[in-house]
Amino acid sequence: MIEMITNVNSAVNNVVWGWPALILLGFTGVLMTSMTGFFQLSHLGHWLKNTIGSIFSDRNITRHTEDRSISQFQSLCTALAATVGTGNIVGVAGAIAVGGPGAVFWMWLIAFFGMMTNYSENVLGILYRRKNSKDEWAGGAMYYLKDGLGERKGCKKLGAGLAVLFSCFCLLASFGIGNMSQVNSMVSNVYTAFGIPKLATGIFLFVAVSLVVIGGLKRIAAITEKVVPFMVLLYLLGTLVIIGMNISTIPAVFVSIFKGAFAMKSVGGGIVGSGIALAMKMGMKRGVFSNEAGLGSSVMVHSSSNVKEPVRQGMWGIFEVFADTIIVCTLTALTILSSGALDLTTGQLTGEAAAIESSALVSYAFGNHFGFLGSAFVAVAILLFAYSTVLGWSHYGATACEYLFGTGATKIYRMVFAVVVLAGSVMKAQLAWDISDTFNGLMMLPNLIGVITLSPVVMRCTKNYVARNLHGKDVEPMLSMFPEIQKMQEEALKEELREDADAAAKAYGEASDSVVKG
């Protein structure tokens, strides 16, 4: 049975992750980047100020809501919880082991354009979201496929069909990328570091996941906004320490990355890595596995936020990819490449590193520098990363389930999702990863069709936002594609602006009083 599943999955995987699909993924990123005027670069300061910078200056970003929506910061943390997972550790290690150092370059490139793919998904998600029977925001690729693509002349059935396909693939993917592969990595690393039986860890995770997931999005968001910042900062600190200890090798590391990306010869005459095609394919696949730009996944939680402006949530999507791949994945890669695990002149694994599984390369790097404590640190990091990913993906699967079967079915889904945690703890690692790869690709295809078709909508919305907020023009805001929601959001946006103005006036008055008294 396992052999049959492996063979079928391999055949499908070769199609959905073949060069045509990868070219489509890259094309979408390039298209959205050009149509928005290279927004990720031309408005770099603006989106940084209005994402990570606003956490410390805008109370609306972090303020908890009284209704069933979540804050913008909670939506980011939940999205990052789902993206910053084992892909950032195990996925990067696997890409380097198979594709050589050059895979890192292609990971960067797909992330650069992926920023605008993720941005576009979020903008569309907010524009086409609706309220469900529980008065919660419901949005995602399935909604802009049905109500966006489906509204095009002659595309009603196509849009509805792709929406159902996307939801089915997302539902299945939530058990793969969002559950089994994450759990498998957790139990394997805990067993390697501490000798704890895999099933025992699986039972513990089953309980830990059940207690949060069954409580719904509000409970998931409450946990992720506390766990995600802590785990990311802790892991980054650990990688920076190792990079600092090997700082003299960093120039050679970057040389090997760029040479390996284009299969250039090293100083010693050998080819760095495994060839340009393999480096490109592994870098792109693992890059998407890590940041999920193009899958249409994180938009489902971004659409649940209390944001009014679609472009503001789109900017969180840019930051999400930036934080996930440009920062976290890069530091993971530098940690591995500077640790001596690879020969930087050939790109091949060396010594003990050649004898271990690629998934253990980060643990090997930390262990080389800190002994048992280093390996234990990585095991704990993977545990936190993967646990948060499972929580985030449970919401994606629940959203797909709701679209297909209604809100009542989500309770059953969450219970089944928790039980699958146990299956992931005893499953073969390679099969879990292969299945995850396949479902990723299957989700990606209908979503990218939707994004490309609706790219003019994203462009208009972006121009509308820039005209109003950057150039001060008095034009009607573009907040929703549905008149009743547009009107509701316009009123909410006006109220938000009034509150901000009152708060600013109050702060100015208090400052003036203090100056007079002084």
Side-chain angles (χ1 to χ4, degrees):
M1 183 66 176
I2 295 296
E3 185 178 350
M4 184 182 73
I5 293 174
T6 301
N7 292 336
V8 171
N9 180 74
S10 178
V12 177
N13 187 280
N14 289 334
V15 174
V16 299
W17 280 112
W19 283 112
L22 291 176
I23 291 170
L24 178 65
L25 177 67
F27 170 77
T28 305
V30 172
L31 175 68
M32 301 318 303
T33 296
S34 60
M35 291 186 74
T36 55
F38 281 77
F39 192 96
Q40 71 271 55
L41 284 182
S42 59
H43 296 93
L44 174 65
H46 182 75
W47 65 258
L48 281 174
K49 177 184 176 182
N50 285 277
T51 53
I52 191 67
S54 64
I55 292 173
F56 308 101
S57 60
D58 188 349
R59 61 194 177 88
N60 292 316
I61 300 298
T62 56
R63 183 174 59 184
H64 287 193
T65 59
E66 294 180 2
D67 58 16
R68 299 185 72 88
S69 66
I70 58 177
S71 72
Q72 293 174 51
F73 181 64
Q74 285 180 316
S75 70
L76 169 72
C77 287
T78 307
L80 280 176
T83 55
V84 179
T86 55
N88 298 80
I89 300 178
V90 179
V92 173
I96 291 173
V98 177
V104 179
F105 172 84
W106 297 106
M107 199 176 289
W108 289 337
L109 190 66
I110 201 67
F112 174 77
F113 292 110
M115 289 179 189
M116 295 316 297
T117 304
N118 208 16
Y119 165 88
S120 302
E121 292 169 347
N122 286 345
V123 168
L124 292 172
I126 300 298
L127 285 172
Y128 287 96
R129 68 180 178 177
R130 294 177 174 274
K131 285 289 185 82
N132 64 16
S133 60
K134 294 182 179 180
D135 199 36
E136 299 170 327
W137 284 116
M142 61 284 278
Y143 291 91
Y144 55 74
L145 283 167
K146 180 177 181 294
D147 297 322
L149 174 60
E151 287 299 308
R152 299 300 174 94
K153 187 176 180 180
C155 293
K156 186 174 182 178
K157 290 184 178 179
L158 175 64
L162 288 177
V164 170
L165 279 177
F166 175 85
S167 299
C168 291
F169 295 148
C170 178
L171 194 63
L172 294 171
S174 70
F175 296 117
I177 182 179
N179 193 322
M180 291 186 293
S181 63
Q182 306 296 329
V183 171
N184 195 274
S185 295
M186 280 191 276
V187 298
S188 297
N189 278 275
V190 169
Y191 175 76
T192 301
F194 307 109
I196 299 175
K198 293 181 179 181
L199 183 58
T201 305
I203 293 172
F204 169 78
L205 291 171
F206 164 72
V207 175
V209 169
S210 299
L211 290 174
V212 179
V213 166
I214 293 176
L217 179 59
K218 278 280 194 177
R219 189 178 300 176
I220 293 170
I223 296 297
T224 56
E225 73 172 335
K226 297 178 179 65
V227 173
V228 170
F230 168 76
M231 74 178 189
V232 171
L233 290 175
L234 184 66
Y235 178 70
L236 294 186
L237 179 62
T239 58
L240 286 171
V241 169
I242 292 181
I243 293 169
M245 294 171 70
N246 300 303
I247 194 67
S248 62
T249 67
I250 297 303
V253 165
F254 279 99
V255 169
S256 71
I257 289 173
F258 288 106
K259 285 191 172 182
F262 302 100
M264 296 168 64
K265 290 186 177 181
S266 67
V267 177
I271 297 296
V272 181
S274 308
I276 184 171
L278 190 55
M280 185 186 296
K281 191 170 186 178
M282 288 306 300
M284 293 177 73
K285 283 178 65 174
R286 290 300 176 227
V288 174
F289 186 93
S290 174
N291 61 51
E292 298 178 17
L295 301 190
S297 52
S298 65
V299 63
M300 287 180 274
V301 71
H302 282 291
S303 297
S304 299
S305 83
N306 62 348
V307 72
K308 313 300 183 300
E309 290 268 14
V311 170
R312 286 195 180 276
Q313 204 63 38
M315 291 188 291
W316 283 108
I318 296 175
F319 177 77
E320 180 188 333
V321 176
F322 175 79
D324 178 272
T325 305
I326 304 301
I327 296 179
V328 181
C329 285
T330 296
L331 291 179
T332 297
L334 295 181
T335 297
I336 294 171
L337 295 173
S338 67
S339 68
L342 278 83
D343 183 336
L344 296 179
T345 61
T346 64
Q348 302 300 307
L349 294 171
T350 61
E352 293 180 13
I356 62 175
E357 291 185 17
S358 61
S359 61
L361 283 177
V362 178
S363 182
Y364 169 84
F366 273 81
N368 259 7
H369 292 80
F370 304 112
F372 171 75
L373 288 178
S375 299
F377 175 85
V378 174
V380 172
I382 288 178
L383 184 67
L384 289 174
F385 276 38
Y387 176 65
S388 66
T389 297
V390 171
L391 297 184
W393 263 92
S394 70
H395 175 66
Y396 300 167
T399 303
C401 182
E402 176 184 322
Y403 183 84
L404 292 169
F405 308 112
T407 54
T410 57
K411 290 183 179 179
I412 298 173
Y413 164 81
R414 291 188 176 107
M415 288 187 285
V416 173
F417 185 87
V419 172
V420 171
V421 169
L422 290 174
S425 67
V426 296
M427 191 177 210
K428 287 186 178 180
Q430 190 56 51
L431 181 57
W433 279 92
D434 289 344
I435 289 175
S436 299
D437 258 350
T438 300
F439 288 141
N440 278 0
L442 289 171
M443 279 181 67
M444 178 179 69
L445 296 177
N447 176 60
L448 292 181
I449 292 171
V451 172
I452 292 172
T453 305
L454 299 172
S455 56
V457 177
V458 177
M459 183 176 67
R460 290 202 308 272
C461 190
T462 303
K463 288 183 176 180
N464 177 276
Y465 174 87
V466 171
R468 289 184 293 109
N469 293 280
L470 275 69
H471 299 154
K473 294 183 179 180
D474 185 17
V475 294
E476 182 182 351
M478 189 173 174
L479 308 176
S480 175
M481 300 304 289
F482 306 112
E484 68 278 9
I485 297 179
Q486 169 76 20
K487 185 177 180 181
M488 178 184 73
Q489 293 295 71
E490 281 185 22
E491 291 301 318
L493 184 60
K494 289 177 183 177
E495 180 61 29
E496 191 175 282
L497 292 173
R498 281 194 294 268
E499 290 179 0
D500 289 343
D502 291 342
K506 182 179 179 181
Y508 177 78
E510 291 174 351
S512 299
D513 290 343
S514 64
V515 171
V516 172
K517 291 178 181 178

